[in-house]
Amino acid sequence: MRLQKSAFAAFAAAARATSLTDVCTVSNVKSALPSNSTILGINVLPSLSTANTVYNYSGGSGMMGATSTASSETYNFCNVTITYTHPGKGDTVVVNYAFPEPSDYKKRFYVAGGGGYSLSTDATGGLEYGAVGGATSAGYDALDGVSYDEVVLYGNGSINWDATYMFGYQALGEMTKLGKYVTKGFYGQSSSSKLYTYFEGCSDGGREGMSQIQRYGDEYDGAITGAPAFRYGQQQVNHVFSSAVEKTLDYYPPPCALDKIINATIAACDPLDGRTDGVISRSDLCMLHFNLSSIIGEKYHCAAVSSTSLGFGFNKRAGEGSSTSYQPTQSGTVSAQDVAVAQVIYDGLHNSKGERAYLSWQIGAELSDAETEWNNNTKKWELDIPSTGGEFVTKFVELVNLDNLSNLNGVTYDTLVEWMNTAMVRYMDSLQTTLPDLTPFQQSGGKLLHYHGESDPSVPTASSIHFWQSVRSIMYPSLSDKQSLHKLEDWYQLYLIPGAAHCGTNPLQPGPFPEDNMQTMINWVENGVKPSRLNSTVTAGKYEGETQMLCQWPSRPLWKNNSTFDCVYDRASYESWSYEFPAFKLPVY
Ligand SMILES: *[C@@H]1O[C@H](CO)[C@@H](O)[C@H](O)[C@H]1NC(C)=O
Ligand SMILES: *[C@@H]1O[C@H](CO)[C@@H](O)[C@H](O)[C@H]1NC(C)=O
Ligand SMILES: *[C@@H]1O[C@H](CO)[C@@H](O)[C@H](O)[C@H]1NC(C)=O
Ligand SMILES: *[C@@H]1O[C@H](CO)[C@@H](O)[C@H](O)[C@H]1NC(C)=O
Ligand SMILES: *[C@@H]1O[C@H](CO)[C@@H](O)[C@H](O)[C@H]1NC(C)=O
Ligand SMILES: *[C@@H]1O[C@H](CO)[C@@H](O)[C@H](O)[C@H]1NC(C)=O
Ligand SMILES: *[C@@H]1O[C@H](CO)[C@@H](O)[C@H](O)[C@H]1NC(C)=O
Ligand SMILES: *[C@@H]1O[C@H](CO)[C@@H](O)[C@H](O)[C@H]1NC(C)=O
Ligand SMILES: *[C@@H]1O[C@H](CO)[C@@H](O)[C@H](O)[C@H]1NC(C)=O
Ligand SMILES: *[C@@H]1O[C@H](CO)[C@@H](O)[C@H](O)[C@H]1NC(C)=O
Ligand SMILES: *[C@@H]1O[C@H](CO)[C@@H](O)[C@H](O)[C@H]1NC(C)=O
């Protein structure tokens, strides 16, 4: 202990004495590189290394899809690129690292997740934590903004497996291993000393985080994963489900009618959690006690709009393909058909035998994928297949190089189940990302903070719960519920964010959102302060500014009065979140 302390003091003194210009040189980077075979599978090409100082940088947060905590801080850092190849392969992968000024460096390494089909291109997300950060080209120019779906097929029927595995998990894992090695050399830190390593991401970034702790568990000390877009085969095909429901029922609801159904559901279910604040904090009680049929006959009105949609996720191409759509004035009353569409969607996909294939969004979540399109010529609402799901089916399932499905002719619920099964099997060990045995991560002391908006309209909230349950039952098969819960919460905690949407707040429900997850995680990893609640702040509405310490799953909030809630457990609610998927022969974790 005494020795370590004095070694640290010596290092700290050395660090203080060293300036950014001293360390930010190509020769310092080269001297920190691993020789070939030091990291199995990575041969660095030293002559292609670059290093440049960047001063007064005020950059993004690195992690895509987050409500960014815009900080006015500026940073000085060393911008480094390193190129490596996979032995014998002749490929090149470029990794970009941002090294904080030596006096700011806190022996941390930070990996930010991307979103949609894009890995993060920003290496600077760690600077605010005194951490080195990294980003990777993944071998397909991802640093230049190329997204994986642009390269997934070489041509029709021909999958680019290198890009698939790199996007799936390998590129980030290699970037982290190499980055940690170089970091120690760069700052003159001993190779055996601790370098705290964090991951933070949401949506596909959440899936990427899960991929890292599943595949490179002992590299990470803490992972913060929001609304992970994992169980990839099911998740991506599920984006076509709402359209398939409309096609099957042969009814295309006016968007305003669905909006009204959501608003009326929020109004009806908001008080069930004990406080009327515009937020459904207990979508389970809503599911158990509210019948959508009671909305039939309610009036709706929406003014005409010309809107520009940016489309799915944070995909570069979705941005380019943004389209302006026109909706006429909509006035009417909610019909039984409108409610039927909403109900079948919230019930989730079943095959023609009535066997469940997938779970769905929580009741009260927006029905984004169900949005129909106005046809100015026929003056009718028509099918609008979301390109999220459409493109996945064309490129990843059918293997044809088309950006979207053109129609759903002949597509039944059984077809969707087949598509899911094909994708699950085909990408089982690359994109599916649901390996439930996290033993290496857990045994090396890793901590997982997993969160999910309870009204997420893109990745169903229950998808996260299903994974949590899989981990619990695979890792603690012989323990009682109580015992396994106790073991799990020591290193894996899941929080649902009341009313929140996909990786952010929900304009329809002014609820809380956590904004200092990294602080919580650093405290857990470095100071041993295990959280039991998750700090979050209400960002709009009557209770704006209120702090809510969120309940840890499986306990659920129940307001006692307008200012205090308890975290309670009740079996009926818990069971309403539990699913089995008998439509598949294989287990679905
Ligand atoms: C490491 O391997 C790469 C090719 O895989 C080669 O270009 C490079 O020179 C090797 N480095 C050393 C130090 O041998
Ligand atoms: C960075 O900002 C500081 C304070 O505004 C200023 O003194 C300094 O000259 C700036 N450095 C560079 C390289 O622009
Ligand atoms: C870091 O260097 C790379 C490669 O030279 C460059 O593309 C990137 O823009 C630089 N980043 C910053 C923040 O200066
Ligand atoms: C639903 O509620 C939001 C406000 O929360 C409002 O802006 C919107 O117009 C409402 N939509 C309908 C169809 O009532
Ligand atoms: C909801 O109400 C309708 C009409 O009263 C009824 O047919 C239906 O069975 C109810 N649904 C549930 C889940 O109770
Ligand atoms: C659709 O028709 C309306 C008038 O009926 C017009 O104002 C609008 O510009 C048209 N939109 C498109 C996209 O053609
Ligand atoms: C996808 O294709 C469908 C059917 O042609 C179309 O309605 C929809 O607008 C397309 N979506 C995008 C984002 O291109
Ligand atoms: C790939 O398949 C699609 C759909 O069948 C077709 O439209 C396209 O022309 C094909 N592309 C090539 C390069 O053959
Ligand atoms: C909760 O998070 C906010 C926003 O980051 C922070 O200001 C506050 O100190 C945190 N509170 C607790 C109890 O951690
Ligand atoms: C709400 O309930 C809590 C716990 O019972 C109590 O401490 C608090 O004073 C109550 N607040 C109000 C405003 O009644
Ligand atoms: C709680 O707030 C509601 C309005 O949202 C109000 O009607 C009610 O009286 C309040 N309850 C208490 C105990 O203050």
Side-chain angles (χ1 to χ4, degrees):
M1 196 60 209
R2 187 174 264 266
L3 255 176
Q4 275 174 8
K5 257 192 186 154
S6 61
F8 178 76
F11 164 77
R16 266 196 299 279
T18 320
S19 74
L20 187 60
T21 42
D22 291 335
V23 288
C24 193
T25 62
V26 171
S27 69
N28 188 39
V29 170
K30 279 188 178 171
S31 71
L33 295 174
S35 58
N36 291 346
S37 84
T38 302
I39 303 177
L40 194 64
I42 292 180
N43 281 4
V44 174
L45 308 174
S47 62
L48 299 179
S49 307
T50 70
N52 292 290
T53 49
V54 179
Y55 291 103
N56 292 340
Y57 180 78
S58 57
S61 74
M63 160 190 165
M64 296 170 81
T67 34
S68 77
T69 45
S71 129
S72 53
E73 292 281 316
T74 61
Y75 302 94
N76 301 335
F77 68 96
C78 183
N79 182 20
V80 169
T81 59
I82 297 170
T83 303
Y84 68 89
T85 182
H86 296 104
K89 199 157 187 176
D91 60 344
T92 53
V93 181
V94 179
V95 280
N96 178 212
Y97 299 106
F99 291 90
E101 186 145 26
S103 57
D104 290 341
Y105 173 60
K106 296 198 173 118
K107 294 189 169 183
R108 294 177 183 146
F109 192 85
Y110 176 91
V111 183
Y117 289 110
S118 298
L119 297 172
S120 172
T121 56
D122 186 348
T124 64
L127 294 177
E128 63 175 302
Y129 310 110
V132 176
T136 172
S137 77
Y140 57 80
D141 297 330
L143 284 174
D144 303 322
V146 174
S147 67
Y148 159 59
D149 59 324
E150 295 176 82
V151 297
V152 58
L153 293 179
Y154 290 116
N156 287 345
S158 179
I159 299 173
N160 181 345
W161 284 111
D162 287 329
T164 299
Y165 283 103
M166 287 297 269
F167 175 77
Y169 58 85
Q170 190 184 342
L172 289 175
E174 291 176 348
M175 185 277 286
T176 299
K177 285 181 109 159
L178 177 58
K180 290 172 70 174
Y181 187 95
V182 174
T183 294
K184 289 181 176 177
F186 184 90
Y187 292 108
Q189 183 181 339
S190 91
S191 62
S192 61
S193 68
K194 186 67 191 173
L195 174 52
Y196 295 109
T197 304
Y198 299 96
F199 184 98
E200 183 175 31
C202 199
S203 191
D204 196 72
R207 183 200 63 78
E208 292 158 24
M210 291 297 191
S211 82
Q212 295 305 288
I213 65 173
Q214 291 169 16
R215 303 279 179 174
Y216 299 89
D218 56 3
E219 294 290 340
Y220 293 89
D221 298 289
I224 301 163
T225 60
F230 57 5
R231 211 168 300 103
Y232 213 74
Q234 282 83 357
Q235 165 61 31
Q236 299 295 69
V237 173
N238 199 48
H239 277 303
V240 182
F241 173 54
S242 301
S243 296
V245 170
E246 292 166 344
K247 176 84 178 156
T248 303
L249 299 180
D250 192 22
Y251 177 70
Y252 305 92
C256 191
L258 293 182
D259 289 350
K260 179 67 197 183
I261 289 172
I262 291 148
N263 283 1
T265 302
I266 294 168
C269 291
D270 166 9
L272 298 178
D273 55 39
R275 181 169 91 165
T276 304
D277 55 4
V279 179
I280 306 179
S281 297
R282 293 292 298 278
S283 60
D284 41 37
L285 296 179
C286 188
M287 184 192 260
L288 294 170
H289 301 302
F290 180 63
N291 189 330
L292 288 175
S293 297
S294 62
I295 304 171
I296 295 169
E298 287 199 30
K299 287 192 166 55
Y300 61 78
H301 177 84
C302 295
V305 281
S306 279
S307 66
T308 302
S309 150
L310 286 180
F312 164 52
F314 322 97
N315 183 334
K316 176 173 82 95
R317 186 133 33 81
E320 284 170 9
S322 71
S323 58
T324 304
S325 63
Y326 167 78
Q327 295 187 346
T329 304
Q330 302 170 66
S331 279
T333 53
V334 173
S335 69
Q337 283 173 300
D338 296 322
V339 164
V341 165
Q343 186 67 60
V344 176
I345 293 173
Y346 285 138
D347 285 347
L349 176 64
H350 294 71
N351 66 16
S352 56
K353 291 189 221 154
E355 294 164 327
R356 178 174 288 280
Y358 209 45
L359 39 75
S360 189
W361 305 283
Q362 291 302 108
I363 187 169
E366 285 195 79
L367 295 164
S368 314
D369 285 348
E371 180 149 312
T372 51
E373 189 173 39
W374 179 251
N375 183 325
N376 245 9
N377 300 320
T378 61
K379 306 287 175 212
K380 280 187 176 152
W381 295 99
E382 293 181 349
L383 189 68
D384 182 5
I385 304 167
S387 57
T388 38
E391 183 193 32
F392 185 76
V393 172
T394 50
K395 288 192 176 173
F396 292 73
V397 178
E398 295 180 336
L399 306 182
V400 292
N401 223 338
L402 299 175
D403 283 346
N404 195 359
L405 275 170
S406 54
N407 61 66
L408 290 180
N409 296 343
V411 170
T412 65
Y413 297 144
D414 287 340
T415 316
L416 299 194
V417 178
E418 280 170 32
W419 285 343
M420 285 182 177
N421 196 61
T422 297
M424 170 174 67
V425 171
R426 184 176 294 154
Y427 305 105
M428 184 74 93
D429 67 344
S430 52
L431 303 173
Q432 188 73 359
T433 327
T434 46
L435 291 176
D437 178 10
L438 303 177
T439 301
F441 176 70
Q442 179 263 327
Q443 282 191 346
S444 66
K447 309 289 186 253
L448 173 58
L449 192 61
H450 176 180
Y451 66 92
H452 207 133
E454 193 158 333
S455 286
D456 189 323
S458 179
V459 180
T461 314
S463 162
S464 276
I465 293 183
H466 188 70
F467 182 70
W468 179 91
Q469 287 166 330
S470 297
V471 171
R472 181 181 177 180
S473 59
I474 289 289
M475 290 187 64
Y476 303 110
S478 55
L479 296 188
S480 71
D481 274 8
K482 203 176 162 184
Q483 287 169 324
S484 62
L485 198 58
H486 193 65
K487 291 261 188 210
L488 199 57
E489 63 149 36
D490 274 345
W491 61 276
Y492 177 4
Q493 300 190 358
L494 169 61
Y495 292 91
L496 304 189
I497 319 297
H502 187 57
C503 298
T505 54
N506 180 353
L508 298 180
Q509 298 186 48
F513 208 78
E515 274 161 8
D516 67 342
N517 288 339
M518 263 302 281
Q519 220 42 64
T520 303
M521 181 55 88
I522 286 171
N523 231 357
W524 194 3
V525 165
E526 297 180 21
N527 305 324
V529 180
K530 180 174 85 166
S532 58
R533 300 276 198 103
L534 188 66
N535 179 26
S536 67
T537 310
V538 177
T539 54
K542 181 177 163 189
Y543 292 98
E544 183 171 352
E546 178 185 70
T547 296
Q548 288 185 22
M549 298 303 291
L550 301 181
C551 301
Q552 188 183 149
W553 177 262
S555 74
R556 306 258 53 218
L558 191 61
W559 290 89
K560 287 167 86 152
N561 53 34
N562 285 345
S563 54
T564 307
F565 61 87
D566 289 329
C567 295
V568 303
Y569 175 81
D570 76 79
R571 181 149 285 278
S573 286
Y574 181 75
E575 282 170 0
S576 79
W577 289 96
S578 302
Y579 294 95
E580 287 177 4
F581 306 111
F584 300 104
K585 301 266 188 291
L586 285 170
V588 177
Y589 294 116

